[in-house]
Amino acid sequence: MDGAEAKRLFERFRLEVHSDRQWDSEFTPSPHEPDAKLREFVDGAGVAAVPLLLDALSGDRDLRYWACVGLQRLGPAAGDAAADVLADLIAARRDPWETAAVALDAVAPARARALGVHRWPETMERLTDRHLRLPTGAAAHVERFVAEESDEDVVRFLAQHRLRDWIVRDRPPGLADLLRGLLRGDRGAEVRRAAAEILVMSGVDAIGAEHIEALRHGGPLSPGIVVRVAAHPESERLVPRLVSRPGVAEALAELILRRRCAGLSTDPAPVHEFLRRCVTEAGDRWPGPQFGATLPAAVADLRDETLLVHLLPMLHEHRLGPSEFGALVAAFASFGSAGRELLDRHQRQHPDVPRVRWALDAVDTARRPRLDDADDAFLRGRIESTLGGAFTAYGAVLLAGPSAHAAFQLAWIDRAYGAPVTADRVAWIRGLGFAGDGLLAELARPVERPLEGLRFQWDCGEFRRHDPGRAARAAAAGLPSLAAGWCRDDDLDRAAAEHLARVRRAAGTSAGPGG
């Protein structure tokens, strides 16, 4: 392309940038598309665009930004002169120097790495995003960063959300081995923890003691990670970490709930003081009553009635909402007469607090959790929804009394997400009266590829959606009703009903939604 045509395309691009900046409407989005005009200019002019883009770097901020984007698209073809100008822009910290850093990484990768832009807090995520958009992916970028940078920088690097999402979702070849090497190597505890978190969320490995050991160290532990590891027999080793930090009541409650649902008990002794402070020391440092339903649920799941006394101050909390009140009632009701007697004594001591009397009345009329309701949630594909779901419902049934049916379904759901189903757990389910040896043998076999990431993100909501890929993954993991939420198929609905019918026969429960 000759220079005149390149200049004509550049002027069209520059006018589009100006028109977009001048657009002034609070209600109508700008109809101008500088990115499209830039792409037309760069693709049409090729290397002839470089001098014009370099001149644009001396213009206003908007033009400088788009000039950097244009040089980034040209990549190494932009040449050394472009690399020099970009490096000067970065050194001067002149806006938009962060965009210039990304452009330099595309134009002259060695110079960008020599400057260290890949590790700077202001530019690390931008550069990673650029590599994630490349057709080859970011595997080489990740491998080189981990090999060359310090533990502190590697921890920050592996904490990037979009990078983690990519690794968890796509399982790029080689990176699983890299993360295993970090987990088992001699890097610092924080690096091992970061590697363990990604491996756990991806489901690429069976969860083992080495993952639990690595997760015991470092910063806050998210509830999503706790949910994935809680069924492991050694997950109780995470309790000291969870109760030593403020703001982790939800993660602690999830750990206790899911251990109970796996037939594992949790020592309540380390939790006593934490729960007391959660309730009595509301404020910034501790998760006070505003953390609501998680605290009563944790007390109920620990099965230690001496912890109930820590919940009584919540009945005097003015911010107590319906969900928190309902969780309190469920916790006291789960202990039967002991819970009611404690409430009755408290009501006599505080007759002027109506909420205590309401709680006592609600305990007297509390309905026992129904297995049919849990099965209905399972058939609707609401396995791990944000507002409960089948797992929570089966857990409530098991809390109310022994249930081979609920225990098996809880293990079946755990299996789909890669949680370990140990021989001891299978024996526990059999001991509850589950007679289906074929189902138990299938339960003991791990799925080929567990459902990765946060469990609730696989929930499609009340309305079915269309994603055949997700549907196939859910069906392969043994959850046809979850699959049906992502792809309307009567065969999936029938498979879910047949699964429940088999479970009911093996557990000796009467026909319900699945029968």
Side-chain angles (χ1 to χ4, degrees), residues 72-125:
Q72 176 187 333
R73 286 177 178 164
L74 285 169
D80 292 338
D84 291 339
V85 175
L86 290 170
D88 290 343
L89 192 64
I90 296 167
R93 289 297 195 271
R94 186 183 182 196
D95 282 343
W97 69 270
E98 298 96 333
T99 308
V102 179
L104 182 62
D105 184 59
V107 173
R111 290 191 64 174
R113 184 165 288 273
L115 285 176
V117 296
H118 60 293
R119 75 173 77 92
W120 293 348
E122 302 92 339
T123 54
M124 176 188 286
E125 193 164 357

Side-chain angles (χ1 to χ4, degrees), residues 182-263:
L182 293 177
L183 176 64
R184 298 162 184 165
D186 57 0
R187 301 292 289 260
E190 291 281 356
V191 174
R192 294 196 298 273
R193 174 188 59 80
E197 288 179 351
I198 299 174
L199 288 169
V200 164
M201 295 302 288
S202 69
V204 69
D205 287 339
I207 295 168
E210 61 182 351
H211 300 92
I212 303 294
E213 175 60 27
L215 292 173
R216 292 178 59 229
H217 307 282
L221 196 59
S222 73
I225 292 173
V226 170
V227 164
R228 296 192 69 92
V229 303
H232 192 280
E234 295 191 29
S235 62
E236 189 173 15
R237 298 173 64 193
L238 299 176
V239 170
R241 176 179 172 186
L242 295 178
V243 301
S244 67
R245 296 177 180 273
V248 291
E250 183 182 356
L252 177 65
E254 290 286 4
L255 179 73
I256 296 168
L257 163 67
R258 292 169 191 275
R259 282 183 58 82
R260 177 181 64 77
C261 291

Side-chain angles (χ1 to χ4, degrees), residues 159-171:
Q160 297 176 95
H161 293 298
R162 283 186 288 276
L163 177 65
R164 285 196 172 199
D165 289 345
W166 172 67
I167 297 174
V168 167
R169 181 187 65 248
D170 294 352
R171 294 183 172 188

Side-chain angles (χ1 to χ4, degrees), residues 13-14 17-19 21-22 53 55-68 89 94-96:
F13 153 68
R14 189 183 62 79
V17 172
H18 175 76
S19 300
R21 183 170 60 243
Q22 296 301 315
L53 291 173
D55 286 343
L57 287 175
S58 61
D60 60 44
R61 187 191 184 284
D62 288 343
L63 201 57
R64 291 199 305 272
Y65 167 80
W66 287 111
C68 288
L89 192 64
R94 186 183 182 196
D95 282 343

Side-chain angles (χ1 to χ4, degrees), residues 367-439:
R367 191 189 74 168
R368 185 183 180 90
R370 298 173 64 246
L371 186 60
D372 284 354
D373 292 338
D375 283 346
D376 178 66
F378 182 83
L379 287 175
R380 289 187 291 110
R382 307 306 306 274
I383 308 299
E384 288 271 14
S385 68
T386 53
L387 297 177
F391 191 96
T392 302
Y394 283 124
V397 171
L398 194 61
L399 180 64
S403 171
H405 181 127
F408 178 87
Q409 284 291 89
L410 288 163
W412 189 261
I413 293 170
D414 270 343
R415 170 182 177 268
Y417 294 95
V421 181
T422 63
D424 287 343
R425 186 171 184 179
V426 173
W428 170 64
I429 296 170
R430 181 180 283 111
L432 291 173
F434 198 88
D437 289 340
L439 279 171

Side-chain angles (χ1 to χ4, degrees), residues 284-347:
D284 294 335
R285 184 164 186 268
W286 289 93
Q290 63 270 31
F291 274 61
T294 58
L295 300 181
V299 170
D301 290 324
L302 281 170
R303 309 312 302 143
D304 182 356
E305 65 184 55
T306 63
L307 290 171
L308 283 174
V309 69
H310 296 317
L311 300 181
L312 292 173
M314 291 182 69
L315 291 170
H316 300 259
E317 171 59 47
H318 295 300
R319 293 171 292 175
L320 198 69
S323 61
E324 291 88 350
F325 182 77
L328 278 169
V329 169
F332 282 101
S334 70
F335 287 95
S337 60
R340 193 198 181 285
E341 290 171 4
L342 181 60
L343 272 177
D344 187 48
R345 288 197 302 272
H346 195 68
Q347 197 272 331

